[in-house]
Amino acid sequence: MKIFAIGMNYAAHNQELHGTLKRPDDPVIFTKADSALLNQGKPFFVPDHLGRIDYETELVVRICRLGKNIPQRFAHRYYDALTVGIDFTARDLQRKASAAGQPWTICKGFDGSAAIGEWVPKEKVLTNPDAICTESGLQRLQFHLDMTQHPTPNTQHPSPNTQHPSPNTPLGRRTLATEGAQEHPSPVTVQEGRTSDMLYNVDEIISYISQFFTLKTGDLLYTGTPAGVGPVHIGDHLEGYLQERKVLDFYCR
């Protein structure tokens, strides 16, 4: 099994992280080790030795047949299920790697960094009138991430009512002393995406990747994250939704 992922595939995310709305000349491809896979329901153990860890919520598709040099017009035949996943990113390490012109292998591919939700057959998703599948890829498909913060006395969280700042700026945080702890905190939608905002759609990505890698049944494709990325902390509860169906549910430990 191979885990492919796409960087810089939403203009607004490129703006918040890289200061540009430009569409890359080609899809930005990176891979994760198979040990990065974190199956639905299992806790994510925050690797505090890696510095700040950000969630990046993404639509994920599952490859269902062998393929090489796949024409874009046939790419929709090569995946059979979708879900929501999280591309956990060691942001401090990524900034250092990018500044030095080094690859993202460690900051993107560490153990548990590819959380994956429950698979939904493509046909079930596409029965929704707000989702269509054409030769140009999935369109108007929505997904989002809800977070419930369960702070401990030694844990501080950014306010859920403010937009997450760029990793290149100081992170505003609230403290329990100033805000007070909620006995029963409520989930807050922290990130939302729509596939029509992708700079490269699913079919284009599959066709492009297949020029360099043979796709095999069971390979996974993380298709990029929209704007709204932010940090996770021990105790956070993350819930991912594909349309209105909850497909991802786990805690950070």
Side-chain angles (χ1 to χ4, degrees):
M1 180 196 70
K2 299 184 291 296
I3 303 175
F4 297 101
I6 310 302
M8 303 179 65
N9 201 30
Y10 287 81
H13 173 63
N14 295 348
Q15 177 67 39
E16 73 174 349
L17 224 60
H18 305 289
T20 178
L21 294 172
K22 181 182 177 182
R23 181 181 191 254
D25 293 337
D26 295 300
V28 177
I29 309 296
F30 60 94
T31 61
K32 291 174 176 274
D34 57 5
S35 60
L37 193 65
L38 182 70
N39 287 315
Q40 155 65 0
K42 292 188 176 181
F44 172 66
F45 292 95
V46 181
D48 53 6
H49 66 289
L50 297 182
R52 169 172 164 159
I53 304 297
D54 279 6
Y55 59 80
E56 295 192 2
T57 312
E58 311 196 4
L59 177 75
V60 187
V61 301
R62 183 178 66 192
I63 301 300
C64 63
R65 61 195 299 182
L66 186 72
K68 176 72 173 175
N69 293 320
I70 302 167
Q72 184 179 327
R73 66 183 183 277
F74 297 136
H76 64 282
R77 302 177 182 177
Y78 284 81
Y79 55 97
D80 64 348
L82 306 95
T83 191
V84 171
I86 296 180
D87 167 23
F88 283 113
T89 302
R91 192 68 71 198
D92 296 333
L93 292 182
Q94 186 188 35
R95 289 204 303 268
K96 289 176 61 178
S98 296
Q102 297 175 348
W104 293 349
T105 306
I106 294 176
C107 64
K108 289 282 194 178
F110 57 88
D111 288 354
S113 63
I116 194 75
E118 174 188 350
W119 291 107
V120 181
K122 184 169 61 174
E123 293 74 16
K124 288 189 176 181
V125 175
L126 300 178
T127 58
N128 189 309
D130 290 331
I132 62 173
C133 184
T134 68
E135 290 185 357
S136 63
L138 299 169
Q139 303 293 323
R140 297 199 302 272
L141 194 62
Q142 296 177 325
F143 58 96
H144 70 271
L145 179 70
D146 287 355
M147 174 186 288
T148 307
Q149 299 173 342
H150 295 277
T152 65
N154 295 321
T155 302
Q156 295 177 332
H157 287 89
S159 170
N161 298 316
T162 58
Q163 184 176 5
H164 290 294
S166 165
N168 296 314
T169 61
L171 179 64
R173 292 177 180 270
R174 65 176 184 177
T175 66
L176 297 181
T178 58
E179 296 287 342
Q182 291 179 289
E183 185 177 356
H184 300 291
S186 300
V188 175
T189 298
V190 293
Q191 197 173 17
E192 298 178 274
R194 193 178 183 92
T195 54
S196 58
D197 293 331
M198 288 180 176
L199 299 178
Y200 289 96
N201 65 45
V202 173
D203 290 358
E204 289 175 316
I205 295 168
I206 288 176
S207 179
Y208 180 78
I209 290 178
S210 71
Q211 297 176 40
F212 310 97
F213 302 92
T214 298
L215 297 180
K216 296 183 177 181
T217 300
D219 287 348
L220 307 181
L221 173 58
Y222 285 66
T223 59
T225 192
V229 301
V232 294
H233 302 86
I234 293 172
D236 289 344
H237 180 200
L238 304 182
E239 299 169 283
Y241 292 80
L242 181 60
Q243 301 291 81
E244 297 304 317
R245 182 197 297 256
K246 185 196 292 188
V247 294
L248 185 65
D249 188 341
F250 67 97
Y251 286 85
C252 297
R253 300 301 189 196

